[in-house]
Structures are given as structure tokens and as C-alpha cells.
Amino acid sequence: QQQVKQSPQSLIVQKGGISIINCAYENTAFDYFPWYQQFPGKGPALLIAIRPDVSEKKEGRFTISFNKSAKQFSLHIMDSQPGDSATYFCAAGGDMRNAGNMLTFGGGTRLMVKP
Amino acid sequence: NAGVTQTPKFRILKIGQSMTLQCAQDMNHNYMYWYRQDPGMGLKLIYYSVGAGITDKGEVPNGYNVSRSTTEDFPLRLELAAPSQTSVYFCASSRRQGWNTEAFFGQGTRLTVV
């Protein structure tokens, strides 16, 4: 099963608040879990990524939490800012059986941070 | 470093017309992909390529064709355009570098079929 499920579909957060987006996967062969950020009219760009041998990775205000046993991972945006308003995609990859090296993307979360 | 370049940025097609969406990357990546993104939806894989001369279907290949004659270029051909092909199309590339399989995306082509 290649599906990656992402929730919520949309999220509204006040400036300074914490934004949390969750993803779940089925394929235990995945070993690379990136998050992509997409601004309107632009292509997705890598925000932060994690491997399953660690439970957390932090880069500035962005943190990925990873739960291997539950096959879930989440993105936390601390002190959310209006400039963080964008669509966020989780993804999974690294399955060496996948000849195309492609990522499987979640459905996306549209985040709006209110001033 | 240009990364992944897509042309055109916008296009309006009439039903039944054909067109080619161009994609070029300058990072010497083996892997290239075409995705479509419908409004409010995620990314659906149309076609992908693991190297020059090798292409394969993704999740939604019907109505599209691709070719990969060089490492750099991966054009997407739409034959007999239909309203259902109205979407934003993204080209991406990647290389397998250990565990990191980061995909780099172009700016997208917004296509409307009327």
C-alpha cells in the first residue's frame, strides 16, 4: 500500500500559535519522510525531512515528530507567522523496490495564519 | 543554478487541441517526474523517467505521453485536450543520494482546456 494520509485538509491558526499537521503511512519500506511547502503560484519546495532512525528533527521553528511503531509523523510549526501561510505536503520515499525513486505525497494541508 | 524550468507558465487550449509542456533540469538528475495538481488537491503522478530513454506510467497517465531523449529534458505531450485535463502541471527531478531522495520542482504550468 503506497498511500500517505494527511490531516487536516485546512488549518487556521492565530499568529504566534502552534500549527500541527499529521500524516500516516502504510508501507514499512519507506525510510525518508520529507515535508514540502508550497506558496500560491509556486512549485513545492523541501522544508524539512527526517529518517525513521530518529524520533524528532528540528530546524528553526519547524519540527518533525516521527513515531515508527504507529507509522505516523507530524509537522509542528512553532510561533506560526502570517508568512507561513501556504500549503504543506507530507511525503514518503526511499523504498528501494521503487524503481522510480519517487515520493508518495499526502493530500496537502492549506494553512492560514491570521495576524 | 536554474534547477527545474518549465514552459509555458500559462496556456489555454481548446478541446481537441494538442500541446507539449516543456521541462528541463540542469542538475544532472537521473529521475524526472510529471505531476498534476487539481484545485485544493494533492499531487498525482502522471509519468516518470529513471533515465534517458526510459519512461513509465504513474497514477494518472491516460491522455498524456512523454519522452526522455536526454538527461536534461522531459516533455509532456497532451493529445486531444479535454476539460478534465485542466490543472496545474509540475515537473520535478531527483537523484538517489543515499537516503535523501529530495525532489526539486519547477514553477508549474497552469493549463485551462475550454
XYZ file of all heavy atoms in Angstrom, chain A residues 12 27 42 49 61 71-72 83 91 101-102:
84
model
N -6.502 26.846 10.379
C -6.383 28.274 10.643
C -5.804 28.442 12.044
O -6.323 27.870 13.010
C -7.748 28.984 10.545
C -8.331 28.821 9.135
C -7.596 30.464 10.876
C -9.734 29.382 8.988
N 3.339 1.723 4.112
C 4.472 0.965 3.591
C 5.671 1.051 4.523
O 6.305 2.101 4.665
C 4.834 1.522 2.207
C 5.949 0.738 1.531
O 6.541 -0.156 2.123
N 6.232 1.079 0.299
N 3.500 28.801 -6.973
C 4.868 28.267 -6.961
C 4.837 26.744 -6.887
O 3.832 26.143 -6.525
C 5.651 28.809 -5.765
C 5.728 30.317 -5.714
C 6.549 30.876 -6.859
C 6.733 32.377 -6.719
N 7.499 32.946 -7.866
N 13.124 17.312 6.441
C 12.958 15.881 6.206
C 13.548 15.092 7.369
O 14.424 15.596 8.088
C 13.624 15.465 4.892
N 11.853 27.032 13.577
C 10.519 26.891 14.167
C 9.794 25.621 13.704
O 8.677 25.357 14.138
C 9.682 28.125 13.795
C 10.218 29.438 14.364
C 9.301 30.604 14.041
N 9.268 30.910 12.614
C 8.231 30.671 11.826
N 7.132 30.099 12.301
N 8.270 31.004 10.546
N 3.564 4.287 12.652
C 3.656 4.678 11.250
C 2.995 6.039 11.043
O 2.154 6.220 10.137
C 3.065 3.599 10.348
C 3.898 2.319 10.336
C 3.405 1.287 9.343
C 2.135 0.642 9.825
N 1.683 -0.462 8.953
N 3.393 6.977 11.890
C 2.853 8.320 11.802
C 3.982 9.333 11.967
O 4.980 9.075 12.653
C 1.799 8.556 12.893
C 0.565 7.688 12.754
C -0.397 7.864 13.911
O -0.058 8.440 14.937
N -1.610 7.372 13.742
N 3.545 34.725 7.287
C 4.379 34.272 6.171
C 4.463 32.772 6.031
O 4.946 32.267 5.008
N 5.300 13.643 2.668
C 5.628 12.662 1.633
C 6.433 11.541 2.263
O 6.937 11.665 3.388
C 6.403 13.304 0.485
N 12.203 5.886 -7.766
C 12.737 6.794 -6.742
C 11.737 7.891 -6.365
O 12.117 8.926 -5.850
C 14.033 7.438 -7.253
C 14.843 8.113 -6.163
O 15.010 7.560 -5.081
N 15.323 9.314 -6.433
N 10.449 7.634 -6.640
C 9.518 8.728 -6.425
C 9.018 8.800 -5.003
O 9.090 7.828 -4.251
C 8.334 8.639 -7.389
C 7.334 7.550 -7.102
S 7.821 6.016 -7.846
C 7.479 6.319 -9.561
